[in-house]
Amino acid sequence: MKVIFLEDTDSTNAEALRRWHHFPPDARHPFAIVADIQTAGRGRENRPWESPRGGLWFSLAWPMTQPASDYQAAPLVAGATLARHLEREFDLHPLLKWPNDIHVGGRKIAGILCQAETVKEGSVLIVGIGLNCNYSAAVLGKNLRHPATSLYDETGKATDLKRLAEDLAKSLGEALALYEHDGLAPWVRHLNEHLAYRDERITCEGADGAGTLEGRVEGVDKEGCLLLLVNGRIKHIRQGEITTISNV
Ligand code: BT5
């Protein structure tokens, strides 16, 4: 897959989308954009994403061959792919905080932002990944929603970002092709074995638009919903955000 390296951009997700629109419809193939620095990196709900030099700021543009609703679990596919990579190449033990974060040792090392855009000429899925790499997370702002870490903090070594981006583009391309063919099934076991807060009590905000739910994390189903045990009944939550965690 083609990987385009830039010195800086506002957001690699936004840049990937702009470039996608510039291609004639018959020339739209998957590609990835990587920037050394993002000046306006974004997380979910348009939250600012700190993107200093030394991080991996990466977005993959993927032509959607199926309705956008079939790509709901794409952040989990991307998360599982990145987590496997961190396990194999860096000997880390990453966990997925449903639905879009990767944690190592209880700290956030990466965030994922997927955006689907449907246009008449052909729809695109943008899979954005931000991974803290060649700096200590101590350089990041003090008001993060969750404590952060970086590859450098975890391994004490510098990472070759170009190689990492190329490897990730390849494995993510393979993963998305498999996901289109087989759905989430090939990842469900891995996701459940690597799920942060499993068997712990959490609060889930914005749970399918139904406000805040408190319950115990039981796993993820084959559609990527979070399984939360609330008052003795399992709820399948499609959208939401895990906020507070208590072990009681
Ligand atoms: C995310 O959002 O975790 C998704 C982040 C996706 C970033 C990538 S970078 C490449 C591509 N281009 C973009 O513009 N975005 C994608 P969310 O779950 O909403 O988390 C956002 C929150 O994480 C912020 O409000 C901060 O508290 C915190 N945060 C910001 N920068 C961080 C960093 N570098 N490391 C850890 N936490 C950070």
Side-chain angles (χ1 to χ4, degrees), residues 45-114:
E45 315 284 339
N46 213 26
R47 291 175 197 131
W49 180 259
E50 292 191 38
S51 314
R53 185 181 299 281
L56 181 76
W57 318 126
F58 170 105
S59 297
L60 190 147
W62 183 262
M64 292 195 286
T65 54
Q66 293 160 31
S69 54
D70 288 3
Y71 294 83
Q72 282 253 350
L76 294 174
V77 172
T81 304
L82 177 59
R84 273 192 181 143
H85 200 79
L86 296 180
E87 235 169 29
R88 286 179 190 159
E89 299 292 319
F90 299 93
D91 204 18
L92 299 178
H93 302 288
L95 294 180
L96 277 119
K97 178 185 174 229
W98 182 91
N100 72 319
D101 287 358
I102 305 227
H103 285 187
V104 172
R107 292 174 173 268
K108 179 162 171 170
I109 198 166
I112 291 161
L113 180 68
C114 290

Side-chain angles (χ1 to χ4, degrees), residues 11-13 38 42-44 47 49-50 108 111 132 145:
S11 145
T12 52
N13 270 28
Q38 291 186 121
R42 286 285 170 259
R44 301 202 302 165
R47 291 175 197 131
W49 180 259
E50 292 191 38
K108 179 162 171 170
N132 294 318
R145 292 165 69 85

Side-chain angles (χ1 to χ4, degrees), residues 143-159:
N143 294 321
L144 300 178
R145 292 165 69 85
H146 198 91
T149 187
S150 68
L151 278 181
Y152 179 76
D153 287 333
E154 299 300 325
T155 65
K157 292 182 195 146
T159 298

Side-chain angles (χ1 to χ4, degrees), residues 159-242:
T159 298
D160 178 343
L161 295 181
K162 185 165 187 287
R163 198 183 134 209
L164 177 59
E166 280 165 349
D167 289 351
L168 204 56
K170 183 169 179 290
S171 43
L172 209 49
E174 288 166 1
L176 289 170
L178 181 62
Y179 175 52
E180 281 186 330
H181 195 260
D182 289 357
L184 194 63
W187 287 275
V188 174
R189 189 166 153 209
H190 179 267
L191 288 167
N192 277 301
E193 286 172 357
H194 295 78
L195 193 62
Y197 312 127
R198 185 123 192 216
D199 300 327
E200 292 178 35
R201 283 192 72 77
I202 57 110
T203 302
C204 184
E205 276 180 21
D208 292 347
T212 302
L213 281 179
E214 236 190 274
R216 199 178 69 197
V217 174
E218 298 287 308
V220 166
D221 71 11
K222 63 181 189 337
E223 288 178 358
C225 296
L226 180 71
L227 301 176
L228 197 63
L229 184 68
V230 183
N231 298 330
R233 297 186 69 169
I234 297 277
K235 299 241 180 222
H236 296 242
I237 301 169
R238 202 167 280 281
Q239 277 175 8
E241 177 157 359
I242 295 175

